[in-house]
Amino acid sequence: MGLKQNLHNLKEKYKGTKMAPAFNAIHTFLYLPNETTHGGTHIKAADDLKRTMNIVIMALIPCLIFGMFNAGYQHNLQTEVVSKATSFFSGEFWNMDNFLIGFIKILPLVIVSYGVGLAIEFVFAVIKGHEVEEGYLVTGMLVPLIVPVDLPLWMLAVAVAFGVVIGKEVFGGTGMNILNPALTIRAFLFFAYPTWMSGDKVWVEGAVEAAGTADAISGETILGSLAQSQPLNYSVSDMFFGFIPGSVGETSTLLILLGALFLIFTKIGSWRIIVSSVIGALVMGFIFNQVVAMGWIGETSKFYGLMSLDFWKHLIIGGFAFGAVYMATDPVTASQTNKGKWIYGFFIGFLSIMIRVFNPAYPEGVMLAILLMNVFAPTIDHYVVQGNVKRRLKRAKVKVQNT
């Protein structure tokens, strides 16, 4: 009660001043609000923005922990400290040495992401005199999961500052942005520092430092290898469980699937967007497979590797699954109507695989696909609503004529 009372006293002391939002945010983050509605004119429910954000973070934690183990595992596997894991429960993967390596590398990414992002949120809240929203709680967790493990911290700090200010605050803050903030941050990193976001040296811890030495480490991702028409050297189980190089939290399709079920069960994530994204990806992948089967493209083509990959395998490599579950379903930037969600999700999946195949220099297309559909989401909803209005007017007109 001592801390809570002290925070309450500070809130009252600075009430009406520019610093009030900062103290209110700390109090609300740690405790329930002191004021609740009692009248009969309000809809009362157990969910609020903070609970919603916390549920999403809970769904992300398994991916974060797995990413820490995988970061250490990929490093030790490349340096031949451990042998290849043979099953999901293999001790070669789940050992504390792997975890400590990943923990030491990934925890600073999380700290910088939250530290810089929340600091900017507080500054804007004080300047504008509005409450600090909880929207960045999820963005701050998403960002470390969609970047390479060896990304320099100063680059991450610059990108977070850009994403929060340009991607969200200039639009009015949480709930007003048209682009997903986490993907805005990743897009900035990719175009501003491309050598740190692609290639075969950024996905395995220590590979950049060892480049050019006798102990050089190679960490080419599956998408990078296929984009160069190299053979696929990982089994389906490796790809599904996540024993592959990649961004910190994007490798384990199994954990992402469990996270999707959790979000759907708690009614936080839209199952329509997730399912339609998968359908769109499968359709585009199947079309490419048919193009190869008909002999319209030869093995010498620069598109052959990814185009000939079994269409369903696109779901378990790269960041597609992670993007479809955790970022395409962002309620602020996604379509709001039920029919619009189906259209929105389908084109995310369809365009993700199209970009992945047709751009060998950037074989991961889900980021660009989601950002593009973020822009078109309001338009999709507009035409869905207008279509519903026209159908209802037509039914009403027929009903009047029959009476």
Side-chain angles (χ1 to χ4, degrees), residues 116 120 156-166 185:
V116 175
I120 295 175
L156 180 63
V158 172
V160 169
F162 174 88
V164 174
V165 175
I166 304 300
I185 293 169

Side-chain angles (χ1 to χ4, degrees), residues 273 335-345 377 380-381 384:
I273 293 177
S335 290
Q336 305 299 311
T337 60
N338 285 340
K339 183 180 291 186
K341 291 176 180 177
W342 284 104
I343 300 171
Y344 169 83
I380 293 172
D381 285 336
V384 169

Side-chain angles (χ1 to χ4, degrees), residues 159-351:
V160 169
F162 174 88
V164 174
V165 175
I166 304 300
K168 186 166 73 168
E169 293 299 338
V170 296
F171 293 100
T174 300
M176 304 297 290
N177 51 289
I178 63 172
L179 299 176
N180 183 285
L183 286 178
T184 303
I185 293 169
R186 195 183 195 283
F188 176 86
L189 282 169
F190 179 79
F191 293 110
Y193 311 109
T195 58
W196 286 93
M197 295 296 293
S198 60
D200 64 348
K201 301 298 181 186
V202 300
W203 307 107
V204 175
E205 192 280 325
V208 176
E209 290 82 353
T213 69
D215 299 323
I217 300 172
S218 176
E220 183 74 87
T221 63
I222 293 176
L223 291 175
S225 297
L226 291 174
Q228 301 176 48
S229 295
Q230 296 177 1
L232 185 61
N233 296 321
Y234 295 94
S235 67
V236 172
S237 62
D238 287 339
M239 295 185 289
F240 180 70
F241 293 138
F243 302 152
I244 55 178
S247 296
V248 173
E250 294 179 343
T251 60
S252 180
T253 308
L254 171 63
L255 294 181
I256 295 170
L257 177 60
L258 294 177
L261 295 175
F262 179 68
L263 293 178
I264 292 171
F265 175 77
T266 55
K267 298 183 179 179
I268 301 300
S270 170
W271 66 268
R272 293 178 177 86
I273 293 177
I274 296 173
V275 172
S276 59
S277 296
V278 171
I279 294 173
L282 292 175
V283 169
M284 188 74 263
F286 182 77
I287 291 174
F288 283 138
N289 282 180
Q290 294 307 302
V291 169
V292 173
M294 293 177 182
W296 293 353
I297 186 169
E299 294 186 17
T300 58
S301 170
K302 63 180 180 179
F303 305 122
Y304 181 80
L306 284 165
M307 192 174 285
S308 62
L309 179 70
D310 293 336
F311 67 97
W312 57 270
K313 290 183 180 178
H314 281 284
L315 303 181
I316 58 176
I317 60 176
F320 173 78
F322 191 90
V325 171
Y326 293 109
M327 287 177 283
T329 56
D330 176 14
V332 175
T333 56
S335 290
Q336 305 299 311
T337 60
N338 285 340
K339 183 180 291 186
K341 291 176 180 177
W342 284 104
I343 300 171
Y344 169 83
F346 179 85
F347 276 104
I348 284 178
F350 194 86
L351 292 172

